[in-house]
């Protein structure tokens, strides 16, 4: 793919949409009303719209290395707040993928420079689940399980936000998914947040302001 092909494809894309719906761009520019917020990995092989079969305007997308939801990351938190409080999405999806470079990099015992603070969050996920992960002898299976557990922990980080909790009380749903690069399958981890947080739920259960 080169620059010229990108702009040539853009012209084809415009023509295809106008041919199928002359008002397409008028409708597109009028605003967005997505039902989904998708938080995924920046990996170039994992594109949200293609995975979900979504059209323009149907999914609000945020991507970063290893699909992290870090409390001190104002970028992700702002996306969450905008999606929940202004766009009023009905679903939040955190989607990881097997063979994730970010996950593998976090397991390398070496100084990776500016990446260190970000990868430390993934290493903390490993620390939380070290007993389970260390019991998996096959390295590839251990990495895949860490991908799943990382999705689980990032979903928990989503749920920690008071504005998310308020929206969940009104029907918002949070989902943890994994994309299998080897088969193309999208896997729902079917996370039970009440069970996962049963012993510490009161710590994160933020009461609304009086």
């Amino acid at each position: 793919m080169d620059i010229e092909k990108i702009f040539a494809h853009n012209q084809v894309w415009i023509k295809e949409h106008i041919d199928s719906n002359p008002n397409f761009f008028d409708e597109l520019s009028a605003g967005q009303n997505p039902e989904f917020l998708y938080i995924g990995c920046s990996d170039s092989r994992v594109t949200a719209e293609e995975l979900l079969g979504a059209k323009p305007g149907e999914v609000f997308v945020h991507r970063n290395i290893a699909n992290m939801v870090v409390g001190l990351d104002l970028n992700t938190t702002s996306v969450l707040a905008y999606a929940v409080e202004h766009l009023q999405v009905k679903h939040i999806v955190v989607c990881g993928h097997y063979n994730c470079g970010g996950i593998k990099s976090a397991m390398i015992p070496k100084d990776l420079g500016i990446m260190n603070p970000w990868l430390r969050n993934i290493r903390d996920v490993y620390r939380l689940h070290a007993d389970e992960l260390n019991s998996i002898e096959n390295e590839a299976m251990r990495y895949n399980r860490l991908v799943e557990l990382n999705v689980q922990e990032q979903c928990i980080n989503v749920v920690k936000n008071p504005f998310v909790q308020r929206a969940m009380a009104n029907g918002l749903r949070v989902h943890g998914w994994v994309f299998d690069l080897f088969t193309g399958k999208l896997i729902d981890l079917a996370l039970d947040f009440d069970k996962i947080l049963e012993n510490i739920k009161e710590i994160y259960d933020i009461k609304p302001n009086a």
Side-chain angles (χ1 to χ4, degrees):
M1 176 176 282
D2 59 36
I3 298 295
E4 290 182 359
K5 286 184 178 179
I6 290 174
F7 281 93
H9 172 75
N10 175 246
Q11 294 302 313
V12 172
W13 181 80
I14 292 170
K15 185 176 184 307
E16 287 177 348
H17 281 291
I18 291 177
D19 286 347
S20 62
N21 177 9
N23 297 317
F24 177 81
F25 290 103
D26 290 332
E27 295 168 2
L28 192 67
S29 62
Q32 60 175 327
N33 187 32
E35 293 192 0
F36 284 79
L37 165 61
Y38 175 96
I39 300 174
C41 183
S42 296
D43 193 302
S44 60
R45 300 166 295 178
V46 187
T47 57
E49 292 83 357
E50 189 170 1
L51 277 180
L52 304 181
K55 298 175 183 177
E58 291 184 338
V59 183
F60 196 56
V61 178
H62 178 70
R63 297 170 67 182
N64 60 45
I65 293 173
N67 43 272
M68 302 298 291
V69 180
V70 180
L72 294 177
D73 175 17
L74 293 181
N75 187 356
T76 303
T77 302
S78 297
V79 167
L80 266 172
Y82 185 77
V84 172
E85 297 189 319
H86 296 277
L87 296 178
Q88 298 181 338
V89 295
K90 297 178 181 178
H91 302 271
I92 298 174
V93 173
V94 178
C95 187
H97 65 97
Y98 295 140
N99 201 29
C100 177
I103 296 292
K104 289 188 174 182
S105 295
M107 296 300 95
I108 298 174
K110 127 183 214 187
D111 184 356
L112 294 173
I114 197 170
M115 290 292 297
N116 288 328
W118 193 259
L119 297 178
R120 192 177 302 129
N121 295 289
I122 304 172
R123 291 169 178 148
D124 285 340
V125 174
Y126 197 112
R127 174 178 56 80
L128 288 170
H129 300 277
D131 289 344
E132 177 185 350
L133 291 166
N134 290 336
S135 69
I136 303 173
E137 295 184 4
N138 182 281
E139 184 178 58
M141 292 179 65
R142 189 185 316 125
Y143 279 136
N144 285 349
R145 182 55 180 153
L146 180 55
V147 166
E148 296 171 352
L149 291 170
N150 183 57
V151 168
Q152 173 180 301
E153 292 300 325
Q154 304 321 310
C155 284
I156 290 171
N157 287 341
V158 168
V159 174
K160 289 176 184 177
N161 289 281
F163 55 85
V164 172
Q165 293 181 22
R166 288 193 291 269
M168 289 178 73
N170 291 317
L172 172 69
R173 296 182 60 196
V174 179
H175 311 267
W177 297 351
V178 172
F179 175 59
D180 187 345
L181 283 169
F182 302 99
T183 66
K185 290 183 178 180
L186 199 56
I187 302 164
D188 186 350
L189 298 179
L191 300 174
D192 183 342
F193 296 109
D194 287 335
K195 183 175 181 180
I196 293 168
L197 296 170
E198 62 183 348
N199 295 324
I200 54 173
K201 189 172 186 296
E202 67 277 5
I203 297 174
Y204 297 115
D205 191 9
I206 308 299
K207 305 300 181 187
N209 294 328

